[in-house]
Amino acid sequence: LVDPGFEGTPQGAFDKVVAECVGEAEGYADDYKNATADDALFFRSFHGEHALRVVFDEGYVLSVSSGGYSFTGGAHGMYGANIFNIDKRDGVVMTEQVLFRPGYKENLSALIQNVLAQRNLSADEDEHVGLFGEISEVKANGNFIFSDYGITYNFVIYEISSYAQGEIYVEIPFELIIPLVNDKYLPV
């Protein structure tokens, strides 16, 4: 997918992702053409999907979700999404390192951990998140979406929790994030 250090236009970032997806599909087609009869069984059960979606487009922020699903055998398929946040003013991909002030990681991770702890204390058991480890082990992962509310971190399956939990979304309101944001991106 797009290199987080990519600088250029949003169209350039999109074109780069499309080219990489097409290249991957062409690679699978070549593998299929060169497969032996025994290998062909593998390809019959293979299924893959990839989608690019604009999930937020407001002000100078464009958030694009690059996600998909694949099944290559086993108990279940795999799915997940990576989010790319692009500054429409200059085409810079807004990674955590670009968006936040130096030293942000510990404070940002603490905000995420606090939201998870509150969810696990909720009377609504559907809000609970069964983690693989301790809440203190969950760190900001760079996979976030902008929204009207704030930013939402997306933890893909098996990243912090089981497949059965699905992707875990952690919403952090702007008022908690703003002290961590670089001046260039204020107001968010």
Side-chain angles (χ1 to χ4, degrees):
L1 297 174
V2 174
D3 173 5
F6 175 84
E7 292 190 22
T9 66
Q11 183 65 49
F14 181 81
D15 291 345
K16 183 171 172 61
V17 171
V18 169
E20 289 172 0
C21 291
V22 169
E24 187 176 327
E26 289 171 343
Y28 284 131
D30 288 342
D31 290 346
Y32 182 76
K33 282 190 256 179
N34 298 321
T36 66
D38 290 338
D39 292 335
L41 291 174
F42 166 77
F43 286 103
R44 279 191 223 140
S45 65
F46 180 84
H47 174 81
E49 299 173 14
H50 193 132
L52 293 173
R53 292 184 307 127
V54 172
V55 292
F56 186 77
D57 185 4
E58 190 171 308
Y60 63 84
V61 178
L62 176 69
S63 295
V64 178
S65 169
S66 172
Y69 169 84
S70 67
F71 179 79
T72 57
H76 54 73
M78 294 293 290
Y79 64 91
N82 292 314
I83 313 302
F84 298 92
N85 299 291
I86 301 165
D87 183 339
K88 294 188 296 186
R89 299 172 296 190
D90 56 17
V92 170
V93 176
M94 293 185 292
T95 62
E96 287 177 346
Q97 295 81 6
V98 169
L99 181 63
F100 298 115
R101 299 175 193 275
Y104 72 90
K105 192 83 163 181
E106 187 174 312
N107 291 328
L108 183 56
S109 293
L111 291 172
I112 292 168
Q113 293 161 9
N114 186 48
V115 170
L116 288 171
Q118 288 176 8
R119 284 176 61 177
N120 282 346
L121 293 173
S122 171
D124 181 359
E125 289 189 12
D126 288 341
E127 284 295 310
H128 294 192
V129 178
L131 299 171
F132 284 143
E134 300 298 321
I135 287 178
S136 62
E137 297 172 14
V138 177
K139 306 293 182 209
N141 65 357
N143 198 23
F144 60 93
I145 305 165
F146 281 86
S147 71
D148 294 330
Y149 172 79
I151 64 172
T152 301
Y153 269 82
N154 178 25
F155 294 91
V156 298
I157 55 175
Y158 291 123
E159 188 172 0
I160 63 171
S161 189
S162 70
Y163 182 89
Q165 291 269 200
E167 290 182 287
I168 305 297
Y169 299 98
V170 178
E171 294 181 328
I172 305 171
F174 279 127
E175 58 265 17
L176 297 178
I177 292 292
I178 285 176
L180 304 177
V181 175
N182 278 320
D183 291 341
K184 177 182 178 182
Y185 297 105
L186 292 174
V188 185

